[in-house]
Amino acid sequence: MRLNKFDMNLVVVLDALLTERNITRAGERLFLSQSATSGALARLRDYFDDPLLVQVGRKMVLTPLAESLVQPIRSLLIQAQTTLETRPEMNPADVSRKLTFLMSDHTSTVVMPAVAREISKQAPGIQLEIATPGDDPWSELDQGKVDFLLMPNTFLNDDHPKLQLFIEEFVCICSADNPDVGDSISYEQYAESGHIGVGFGSQLRPGIDAVLAKNAGVERKVAMTVSAYSQLPQYVIGTDRIATVHKRLADFWGEFLPIRVVQPEIDFPKIPWSLQWHQYRDMDPVIRWVRDLMLDITGDEVSRQLAMQNTAD
């Protein structure tokens, strides 16, 4: 098929070349031989009158024109995929599809198990993939590499639709045998204690605990930084250190670990957690079904009322 003299079959090849920036890897991704991929690149270069990919040292880089095509071509493919997958009616039991979520281990521990159980009952053909956010989760959503982000509302952008699921409070945890911590932690004690902090991605991007402390004007003494919330208890137990965590997660740990959940005497704000998906998939019945299911299972009353209000508007 040709559109304005452009062979539309080349759109998929162009997307792979722009993403992989390597002829061999692009061919492997599309199950094409290297010669077929090179031939497609030659036709693309002829159409755009631009080399698109040029060799610099041992790697290939995109030309300025190619860079400008990355997002529009990716958006075009996402929109086409969504259109082709949309059905007038959707029976969850008949769906066969993989859905990828990006979320921290906080939500994968206290939110997703119940969601996964319900999906396995109602839509056993849906395969779930839960991944931890890297350095740039927003680009992964933009490029259609993931279906959902589940993050604090303040970390999400306004380029795509989102749905608030619940509001999270924050507490401190300490070792159950820590003699220095009572029923609460004062501002001074919070500032003077050694903290276990959390960072994400290769650059250990600060977690919500660091953001809360900074916004409260507290300069914490961070004794150690780990890459997941699930690692916090083992580095708190048997020490005089503390950690700032989500109340849902702290209560979950408190059921079976030798820790104490303590309220800090700091006015930490309550943070809304929201689910976000790509704007071109807003009418995708599978996306909408999973979204509504997650609100039914994990949403608090405030978020449900907000969702009803937004629907009415």
Side-chain angles (χ1 to χ4, degrees):
M1 174 184 175
R2 292 185 177 274
L3 182 64
N4 194 25
K5 299 182 180 181
F6 181 76
D7 184 354
M8 294 301 291
N9 295 315
L10 293 177
V11 173
V12 177
V13 181
L14 178 58
D15 176 67
L17 288 166
L18 295 176
T19 302
E20 300 295 339
R21 307 185 183 203
N22 181 282
I23 294 174
T24 301
R25 288 199 302 270
E28 290 173 348
R29 174 173 166 176
L30 301 173
F31 302 101
L32 294 176
S33 66
Q34 185 168 353
S35 60
T37 309
S38 296
L41 176 58
R43 287 194 286 161
L44 287 164
R45 284 169 167 167
D46 182 63
Y47 179 84
F48 287 104
D49 192 22
D50 186 272
L52 300 177
L53 282 165
V54 293
Q55 192 78 35
V56 177
R58 294 186 176 182
K59 64 180 182 179
M60 300 192 81
V61 299
L62 302 184
T63 66
L65 174 62
E67 288 282 4
S68 72
L69 291 172
V70 172
Q71 193 55 51
I73 291 297
R74 170 49 48 174
S75 297
L76 176 63
L77 284 179
I78 292 173
Q79 193 166 13
Q81 180 184 21
T82 300
T83 301
L84 294 172
E85 290 177 346
T86 299
R87 299 293 183 271
E89 295 182 4
M90 192 275 291
N91 182 357
D94 297 333
V95 175
S96 179
R97 184 165 164 185
K98 182 176 80 169
L99 296 177
T100 302
F101 292 76
L102 282 189
M103 65 182 71
S104 74
D105 56 330
H106 153 238
T107 40
S108 68
T109 298
V110 302
V111 171
M112 282 305 292
V115 174
R117 284 192 293 270
E118 195 60 33
I119 288 177
S120 71
K121 295 175 186 176
Q122 297 190 44
I126 292 182
Q127 176 189 355
L128 299 179
E129 186 174 273
I130 312 298
T132 303
D135 294 323
D136 193 359
W138 309 278
S139 291
E140 295 192 63
L141 182 68
D142 284 339
Q143 296 171 18
K145 294 180 180 179
V146 300
D147 297 288
F148 292 106
L149 300 181
L150 181 53
M151 302 172 69
N153 194 50
T154 52
F155 287 178
L156 300 174
N157 59 47
D158 295 326
D159 295 338
H160 302 286
K162 54 190 173 184
L163 173 69
Q164 181 177 304
L165 292 183
F166 58 89
I167 296 176
E168 184 65 272
E169 299 179 43
F170 290 86
V171 296
C172 291
I173 60 170
C174 67
S175 182
D177 58 0
N178 188 331
D180 300 324
V181 177
D183 295 333
S184 64
I185 296 179
S186 68
Y187 184 99
E188 292 75 17
Q189 189 174 20
Y190 187 88
E192 291 300 319
S193 296
H195 289 253
I196 310 296
V198 180
F200 295 102
S202 60
Q203 304 300 317
L204 290 181
R205 178 169 43 84
I208 192 69
D209 56 311
V211 175
L212 290 171
K214 181 179 179 180
N215 291 345
V218 183
E219 187 171 344
R220 298 185 303 171
K221 295 181 178 179
V222 179
M224 184 175 184
T225 301
V226 296
S227 60
Y229 291 107
S230 59
Q231 299 172 17
L232 290 174
Q234 62 231 49
Y235 293 108
V236 165
I237 294 170
T239 75
D240 60 357
R241 294 171 178 172
I242 64 173
T244 305
V245 297
H246 322 73
K247 188 176 186 302
R248 283 175 172 82
L249 194 54
D251 290 342
F252 173 77
W253 290 332
E255 293 292 326
F256 59 92
L257 292 176
I259 64 169
R260 281 192 291 124
V261 180
V262 183
Q263 188 68 43
E265 296 178 4
I266 300 175
D267 189 21
F268 285 144
K270 297 178 181 180
I271 305 294
W273 244 256
S274 295
L275 186 71
Q276 187 164 56
W277 56 95
H278 201 288
Q279 59 178 327
Y280 288 144
R281 290 179 173 155
D282 193 36
M283 299 305 294
D284 183 329
V286 175
I287 295 296
R288 294 173 72 89
W289 179 78
V290 172
R291 177 201 69 186
D292 294 343
L293 177 70
M294 293 186 68
L295 181 63
D296 288 341
I297 294 174
T298 69
D300 56 29
E301 189 57 33
V302 172
S303 299
R304 291 192 184 98
Q305 291 295 331
L306 183 61
M308 291 176 61
Q309 178 182 336
N310 290 339
T311 301
D313 293 342

